Amino acid sequence: MCSNCNENNKEKIINKQKNNLKRPDWDNYFMEIAHVAAHRSNCGRRQVAAVIVKDHRIISTGYNGTPRGIKNCYEGGCPRCNNENIESGNNLGDCICSHGEENAIVQAAYHGIAVKGATLYTTYSPCLLCAKMIINSGIKEVVYHERYSIDDISMSLLKQANIVVRALH
């Protein structure tokens, strides 16, 4: 077989592989990773996670649950999460869980990693506490999958702080 024929066959195979390859774009790639991280959550009410990315590299992840060293929700650690009579959005002050965005930011700080200028991917839009942490940490963009039902003030703050907020559905 001629060497030119071999090169043509290799090129055809490579082109066929490229056409069949279904690679997610960067946004969907990082959001899928956030959804996988949410499976680590020990919250009995809602599994939420965040991934902080800079230059297309993950620099921190976090998911919601009780603080380090405290009994997990499913072990009775959080009184709010274990009370089925409390409706969503009520008695939030009774919850001892840290949020996914909060944990991602705190984990970066714990390990000495700067998040200034980064993008945060989160499975739910941020609550007010997390919005304030996002603003003060220097994160420049938030990409979320689902809208959290009580995020009107947080969305307004993020907008005032010139942080880009995008929904990814």
Side-chain angles (χ1 to χ4, degrees):
M1 187 178 252
C2 69
S3 62
N4 198 22
C5 295
N6 268 344
E7 290 302 316
N8 286 339
N9 284 338
K10 284 181 188 177
E11 194 171 318
K12 285 179 186 176
I13 290 170
I14 290 170
N15 285 335
K16 185 176 181 181
Q17 287 173 339
K18 283 181 187 177
N19 290 335
N20 291 332
L21 199 57
K22 302 270 191 259
R23 294 180 67 196
D25 61 24
W26 287 113
D27 282 342
N28 283 291
Y29 173 71
F30 292 123
M31 189 61 73
E32 285 181 38
I33 292 171
H35 280 284
V36 170
H39 293 294
R40 287 285 305 153
S41 168
N42 66 62
C43 180
R45 291 187 167 255
R46 184 185 319 252
Q47 285 66 50
V48 180
V51 174
I52 301 176
V53 174
K54 199 168 188 179
D55 300 324
H56 293 122
R57 299 289 176 257
I58 296 170
I59 60 173
S60 186
T61 64
Y63 51 85
N64 63 326
T66 54
R68 183 180 284 129
I70 305 300
K71 271 198 251 180
N72 290 319
C73 287
Y74 61 83
E75 300 168 321
C78 180
R80 181 177 181 275
C81 290
N82 287 290
N83 186 340
E84 294 178 12
N85 296 324
I86 298 174
E87 292 183 32
S88 182
N90 292 332
N91 297 61
L92 296 175
D94 294 342
C95 183
I96 65 166
C97 294
S98 298
H99 292 185
E101 303 93 327
E102 177 183 3
N103 275 331
I105 293 167
V106 170
Q107 279 301 310
Y110 183 83
H111 293 287
I113 300 167
V115 298
K116 182 180 180 183
T119 299
L120 183 140
Y121 290 85
T122 181
T123 55
Y124 283 87
S125 57
C127 71
L128 181 57
L129 172 68
C130 291
K132 293 186 287 186
M133 291 183 78
I134 289 165
I135 292 165
N136 285 337
S137 69
I139 289 171
K140 67 172 183 164
E141 182 177 23
V142 174
V143 182
Y144 68 90
H145 183 243
E146 291 185 52
R147 183 98 189 241
Y148 185 43
S149 60
I150 55 171
D151 72 352
D152 292 336
I153 296 171
S154 59
M155 293 300 239
S156 175
L157 277 181
L158 292 167
K159 185 177 180 181
Q160 287 177 56
N162 294 319
I163 294 174
V164 175
V165 179
R166 296 186 290 120
L168 181 67
H169 299 290

